[in-house]
Amino acid sequence: MTPHPPRPSTPRRRLAALAAAAAVLSLLSACVVIDSTRDGSAPPNSTAAATNRETAEQNSARLASALRSYAVVDDTSSPRLDVHLFGLPGATSLAAATEKSVLERFRSAGAFAGRQAFSPVLTAPDQRWDAERFLSPNLPTPPTGSAAAQAPGSAAASASAAVDLSNRIVAAGGRYLISTLSAADGAAQAAGPETAGTRAFVTDLETDSTVDAADLFTVAVDPAELSADETGTLRLRGRTVAKADLTDLGRDVSATLHTPLSLPADADTRDPDFSCALLPCVALTYDDGPGEPEIEEALLAAATTANVRLTYFLLGRNVKNSPEVVARMAEAGHELGNHTFSHPQLSTTSVADERSEVAATDDAIEAASGIRPGLVRPPYGALTKTAAAALAHPAIMWDVDTEDWRHRDRAKTVEAVRTGARPGSIVLMHSIHPTTVAAAAEVFAAVADKGLYAVTVSELFSDQRLESGAEFFCRSYATPLCSNPEHPAVHRD
Ligand code: NI
């Protein structure tokens, strides 16, 4: 278990890999020189090739330091999953295209287990690939259509009950990134051509748009046959692509690949590249604040250090007292929700009072931060159907109660998260207690160590509709209990 949030690779391993790559490249370049000077004269473009090679190496190194690594590995279920994906902060269109394709393949292979959605699995962070494994441009194509893999009863037949996917970078330069998503699994191949084999994408990092790499070519191409040489020159079936075979976009991209890579500038590296439909997520929520400014500042600092975003459910009266703290929470990119103005039990509050409690708090948070909250957490989790309907917001409950307010114990808070949090969980804590804030760094590390991705509540449900008047206890993957008020994890007053 790693004590820190996962990184694609350690600097030392990355350096070692780059050194190895450089050694291979220098061997390759030696071959090129010997080959091209066989007639005794240097080729006119050797300087350009050397420059391109240097640019390609620099682009590769830039990517290695920016890429993030994700793994969905489950050896116990059927189909077995062995999925390795890179993400690039800011390249959301590529992540979305990749995720869509991955989930399609999961569905066709039976990984949804008869449900509407995939249930993300916990995968230990040490299962994630190092960045350089996504950067090998000329990896051998996975074998396709192996008859043995589909022969029933054979040892290879069990391999057909596996989903083995990875995405890789073919080439990158300027504003463009070319990547592939490849399946090495018999099951996906058996599911039909639309889910089999390799897909290739071209991403414009400047506009954050991703299209099929087929758009680069005037001829039909097999994406699995797409590669690039050490100078960053596109290749098809191992040969340099003829200009006539490239569309206008293709010519633009292939020329731009020889220029320095321009990575997305304003990416928020706290957002996982893939959604909670694929990744196991957890939302860490903090109620009753803002508390004492120095306590809240300590929590904000811990969240910054761990590179995570939190969700605060704030009390209107406290917001009025410390609007500057609320502004800092918003500036830091955390989600702000409504916890009523004076913390009444809404199940025994009149509808008129309930509405004014919620509206006054929305107003106070908006005045302090410029953000009008979309979510409400009812105090004590106390709601009746009437009270829930009168909220006019979705009610965000929780499935992991740390009871931090009761025991006021740092270690117990950490342990409650460590043992209770599972994919889709909403964890209840309170930012007004120093013991809770003291536990924060360990809480963040505990969820990261489990392979959970800490997200805001809105991110947790980003692909689902949060209806006003409904109660949400966790993200529902496998059980309807998450959106059912009778969830056994919740104890009402
Ligand atoms: Ni509360």
Side-chain angles (χ1 to χ4, degrees), residues 64 78 87 114 146 184 239 260 290 297 311 375 425 438 456 491:
S78 181
S146 159
R239 305 174 63 136
E297 288 294 338
T311 302
L375 311 172
S425 280
T456 64
H491 305 284

Side-chain angles (χ1 to χ4, degrees), residues 310-356:
L310 314 175
T311 302
Y312 291 94
F313 288 101
L314 303 171
L315 285 173
R317 68 178 178 210
N318 291 354
V319 174
K320 288 250 182 191
N321 286 335
S322 303
E324 67 292 339
V325 177
V326 178
R328 292 260 304 118
M329 292 168 173
E331 278 162 22
H334 302 292
E335 181 160 32
L336 306 184
N338 183 323
H339 194 40
T340 75
F341 199 86
S342 60
H343 212 269
Q345 189 161 319
L346 296 179
S347 51
T348 57
T349 305
S350 74
V351 164
D353 286 352
E354 177 184 344
R355 286 190 173 140
S356 84

